[in-house]
Amino acid sequence: QQQVKQSPQSLIVQKGGIPIINCAYENTAFDYFPWYQQFPGKGPALLIAIRPDVSEKKEGRFTISFNKSAKQFSLHIMDSQPGDSATYFCAASNSNTGKLIFGQGTTLQVKP
Amino acid sequence: GAGVSQSPSNKVTEKGKDVELRCDPISGHTALYWYRQSLGQGLEFLIYFQGNSAPDKSGLPSDRFSAERTGGSVSTLTIQRTQQEDSAVYLCASSLAQGWGSPLHFGNGTRLTVT
C-alpha cells in the first residue's frame, strides 16, 4: 500500500514533443504529490507538486494532471527541450509524516 | 552556501569495514531524511529525523545501519561491516518542517562502493 508505481522506465522524444510520465498509488492517505527532476551526479530537485483537491497544476512548461478516483497522476512536459533530458521521479506522502515514497523513475531523453 | 551538503562525495571501502556518511542540512531545517538510490532504481527511504529524534526508522535495511543527529543539525549515517549490496548513492534531504509547503531539498549524495 506504500508503493508508487511509475511508467515508463525510459522515454525518448524529439525536441518540441510532449513526454508524459504516469504514476499510480494505492494509499488513500497520501495528500501530497510532487515530481522531482534529477540530473546525473546531482540530487533530485523539486519540479512541481499538487494536492488532491485540484485536478491540474501548471508551472511553466510542466503540468501535473491528477485523477483522485483512479489514484493516478501524470507529468506532461510541453515543448520539451534537450535540457529537459534527466530522470524524473514522482512521489507521494501524507503531509502528517512528510516521508516521501518515490516511484522508480523515468529517464527522459529529448533529441535535438 | 544554502544547500544540503554531504560528505564525502565518493567513498570506496572494503567489504567488512565500517563507514560514516555525513549530512549538513540547510540551516534552520528541522526535518532531515536519508534515502538510498541504487543503480537505475528509485529512492528508497531509510530514516527520518524531526529535530534530534527519529520517529521513523522503518527503512533501515538491517541492524548494520544506524543514524544519529546532533544539535538538530548535522546527521551521520553509519554502516557497519559493509557488504557489496550496500553499494549505492546515499542521499540526504532536509525540509523546513514536515508537511505540505515544506519541500525536501536534497544534497548531491555520497556514492558508496564496497569492493
Side-chain angles (χ1 to χ4, degrees):
Chain A
Q1 227 197 3
Q2 287 293 314
Q3 282 188 323
V4 177
K5 296 181 180 179
Q6 183 173 346
S7 64
Q9 188 173 8
S10 63
L11 193 53
I12 302 174
V13 299
Q14 293 293 133
K15 177 183 174 182
I18 306 176
I20 301 173
I21 305 170
N22 300 296
C23 285
Y25 65 98
E26 296 180 354
N27 189 342
T28 55
F30 288 152
D31 61 0
Y32 174 62
F33 302 90
W35 285 87
Y36 278 77
Q37 179 189 54
Q38 184 179 33
F39 293 104
K42 301 294 186 182
L46 178 67
L47 194 58
I48 186 173
I50 197 168
R51 309 174 69 143
D53 54 350
V54 297
S55 60
E56 185 176 277
K57 182 174 182 180
K58 291 183 181 180
E59 284 188 5
R61 295 183 294 106
F62 301 93
T63 299
I64 299 179
S65 297
F66 187 84
N67 185 329
K68 187 174 181 179
S69 62
K71 291 185 283 187
Q72 295 176 347
F73 57 111
S74 60
L75 176 71
H76 301 231
I77 306 175
M78 303 301 181
D79 187 27
S80 58
Q81 302 296 312
D84 297 329
S85 297
T87 300
Y88 293 81
F89 292 95
C90 63
S93 74
N94 180 294
S95 56
N96 290 332
T97 70
K99 179 175 84 177
L100 285 175
I101 306 299
F102 284 86
Q104 292 301 96
T106 297
T107 301
L108 171 66
Q109 181 183 357
V110 180
K111 291 189 170 182
Chain B
V4 175
S5 177
Q6 292 188 247
S7 61
S9 55
N10 281 284
K11 177 72 176 178
V12 180
T13 190
E14 292 181 353
K15 177 182 173 181
K17 300 285 189 183
D18 298 352
V19 295
E20 284 189 355
L21 312 180
R22 177 185 170 106
C23 173
D24 283 272
I26 294 172
S27 178
H29 280 196
T30 61
L32 186 147
Y33 305 79
W34 284 98
Y35 283 83
R36 178 168 71 174
Q37 185 173 24
S38 302
L39 186 63
Q41 299 296 309
L43 282 74
E44 175 189 8
F45 169 81
L46 298 178
I47 187 170
Y48 154 62
F49 287 91
Q50 181 60 42
N52 290 338
S53 63
D56 191 343
K57 306 178 183 179
S58 62
L60 294 177
S62 73
D63 58 8
R64 296 187 295 105
F65 288 72
S66 63
E68 65 175 12
R69 189 179 185 194
T70 56
S73 180
V74 172
S75 177
T76 302
L77 177 69
T78 301
I79 309 173
Q80 295 178 310
R81 304 181 303 281
T82 52
Q83 304 294 311
Q84 288 185 332
E85 61 262 28
D86 299 334
S87 296
V89 176
Y90 289 82
L91 291 162
C92 175
S94 69
S95 66
L96 191 58
Q98 64 184 41
W100 220 96
S102 293
L104 270 61
H105 298 264
F106 282 87
N108 289 333
T110 293
R111 181 175 298 277
L112 175 66
T113 303
V114 182
T115 62

